[in-house]
Amino acid sequence: MKKLILTDLDHTLLKTDGTVSGRTLEVLQRCRQKGVLFAIATARYWIGAERYTELLKPDYEITTDGTLIHSGDECIYSCEFTADETNAIAAALLKAAPASEITVANGKTVYWNSKHIAESEKLHKAVYFEYDRPLQCGGNKIVAELPSEAIARGIADRFGCKLQCYRGENWYGFMPRGAGKIAAINALADKCGISLADIVSFGDDKNDIDMLKMCGTGVAVANAVQEVLDTADEVTVSNDEDGVALWLERNLLADDREHSCLF
């Protein structure tokens, strides 16, 4: 029996249309009734994941590409740039791509220089900020829309920070070196007093690879990119076929099914 379920959201736990199935909700509830902790681990900012945390009610939320962990209203882990580092990176991004849209996450707050904040499904609660003056806080993660990965890598190398590329997108994330899901999962395991071997993790994209490798059991959904399929210990069916729920039913809830057949 695993002690913690850890799953990515987009294209993993969520269906392609962004919904969570009733089956998934029911299976997660049954696992938690058996004493298994449940956590999400997502690249989304906290405000971008908020509607799912309200629905799923996880015990822990690893958000912002592993730079933040919340348990309810409490922040239990934060990895961030200094304010000076944040402003220097933002300035370099604007110099390289003057029309670039830039977001900076500081805890549950996201600053964004977009005129279309209200129209955004994920970031409609962001704070408008032009970056024409310094931010007075550090950033957990800075994301920018850039013309090429080469530009992004050049800036990441210049500032010695970690670069995160996203599946099929021209958005690039900049985080403190050493930040990410590995550090967050280690911090969460210590907080919960459990071994990494007692965690089952689910993912689909390149930024999930380290998570799948480090946890006791790493499971890829069938729609994952090839590198993730090659890395995973096991592969379940796709996100649109409730792959996470199916694996949990077969592996964590199998005894329930067997016992129910006796009556």
Side-chain angles (χ1 to χ4, degrees), residues 167-254:
R167 183 177 183 178
E169 301 180 13
N170 60 344
W171 291 85
Y172 300 90
F174 302 83
M175 298 180 291
R177 187 169 296 280
K181 289 184 179 179
I182 287 181
I185 293 167
N186 278 320
L188 181 57
D190 289 342
K191 169 75 174 178
C192 296
I194 63 175
S195 166
L196 293 175
D198 291 328
I199 303 175
V200 55
S201 60
F202 299 87
D204 76 289
D205 205 353
K206 291 180 180 179
N207 64 334
D208 298 319
I209 288 176
D210 289 337
M211 177 174 74
L212 299 189
K213 284 182 176 180
M214 70 186 294
C215 294
T217 304
V219 183
V221 285
N223 53 287
V225 298
Q226 190 60 50
E227 294 95 324
V228 175
L229 295 172
D230 293 341
T231 297
D233 299 306
E234 300 182 31
V235 177
T236 184
V237 296
S238 74
N239 62 322
D240 287 326
E241 299 171 283
D242 292 331
V244 174
L246 177 64
W247 191 95
L248 295 174
E249 285 174 333
R250 291 179 173 176
N251 293 276
L252 270 62
L253 300 175

Side-chain angles (χ1 to χ4, degrees), residues 12-186:
T12 302
L13 189 71
L14 307 184
K15 290 182 176 292
T16 303
D17 64 4
T19 61
V20 181
S21 73
R23 177 187 184 185
T24 293
L25 291 172
E26 186 265 339
V27 166
L28 289 172
Q29 179 62 22
R30 287 168 59 197
C31 289
R32 296 178 77 181
Q33 288 171 348
K34 293 172 73 74
V36 183
L37 294 170
F38 169 54
I40 61 169
T42 179
R44 287 182 181 234
Y45 293 137
W46 187 91
I47 61 172
E50 184 179 12
R51 69 185 179 106
Y52 295 111
T53 60
E54 291 176 347
L55 174 65
L56 296 164
K57 295 179 173 56
D59 298 289
Y60 298 97
E61 306 142 25
I62 299 176
T63 62
T64 321
D65 258 326
T67 57
L68 284 167
I69 305 177
H70 285 86
S71 178
D73 292 331
E74 180 186 5
C75 179
I76 63 173
Y77 172 86
S78 178
C79 182
E80 60 195 68
F81 294 112
T82 66
D84 286 345
E85 290 170 333
T86 301
N87 289 312
I89 293 170
L93 291 168
L94 286 174
K95 183 176 181 180
S100 177
E101 289 194 5
I102 299 174
T103 58
V104 174
N106 172 257
K108 292 185 177 182
T109 301
V110 175
Y111 299 93
W112 190 13
N113 63 341
S114 171
K115 302 288 188 181
H116 305 287
I117 290 175
E119 303 164 20
S120 172
E121 178 268 325
K122 294 181 181 179
L123 299 182
H124 60 278
K125 292 186 178 182
V127 175
Y128 182 73
F129 192 82
E130 283 278 10
Y131 302 105
D132 55 348
R133 63 190 189 281
L135 277 168
Q136 300 303 307
C137 60
N140 296 100
K141 182 172 75 166
I142 304 166
V143 176
E145 186 179 27
L146 296 171
S148 71
E149 184 176 330
I151 292 174
R153 291 202 177 277
I155 293 173
D157 290 345
R158 175 180 166 187
F159 290 96
C161 55
K162 181 176 180 179
L163 177 67
Q164 184 64 61
C165 304
Y166 301 106
R167 183 177 183 178
E169 301 180 13
N170 60 344
W171 291 85
Y172 300 90
F174 302 83
M175 298 180 291
R177 187 169 296 280
K181 289 184 179 179
I182 287 181
I185 293 167
N186 278 320

